[in-house]
Amino acid sequence: MSLVETDWLEENKHNVKIIDCSWHMPHSKRDGFEEYKKNHIPNAIFFDLDKNSNKGTDLPHMLVDLNDWEKI
């Protein structure tokens, strides 16, 4: 599923910041960051979803508080 069409992205890639937060289920033996390093949209940045999630909850990938978000 895409939020925008690829043609739109091609035409507007200099006006937006592309953030790649690819994540895969642990049993898949895939690594989103390694895949990003091998093949990503030019000028995209990687956002580590596991590293930057709230660790104080049993729920996965919850947002951090405002102070931590500002540090990220």
Side-chain angles (χ1 to χ4, degrees):
M1 181 177 136
S2 298
L3 297 177
V4 298
E5 298 294 326
T6 55
D7 290 340
W8 183 92
L9 183 58
E10 179 65 33
E11 293 171 12
N12 292 280
K13 65 183 174 187
H14 300 292
N15 300 320
V16 297
K17 183 51 112 176
I18 301 164
I19 303 171
D20 182 337
C21 60
S22 297
W23 181 87
H24 303 285
M25 296 294 288
H27 70 277
S28 71
K29 297 185 170 112
R30 292 178 65 185
D31 183 317
F33 183 59
E34 289 302 316
E35 292 179 18
Y36 163 82
K37 290 191 302 187
K38 291 178 184 175
N39 188 25
H40 63 271
I41 296 171
N43 299 319
I45 60 172
F46 185 79
F47 182 82
D48 189 326
L49 197 54
D50 285 325
K51 177 182 172 188
N52 296 299
S53 293
N54 183 347
K55 305 292 187 269
T57 177
D58 293 337
L59 301 172
H61 305 130
M62 294 290 105
L63 286 174
V64 296
D65 63 29
L66 181 58
N67 290 329
D68 288 334
W69 185 249
E70 288 175 345
K71 291 174 190 173
I72 294 169

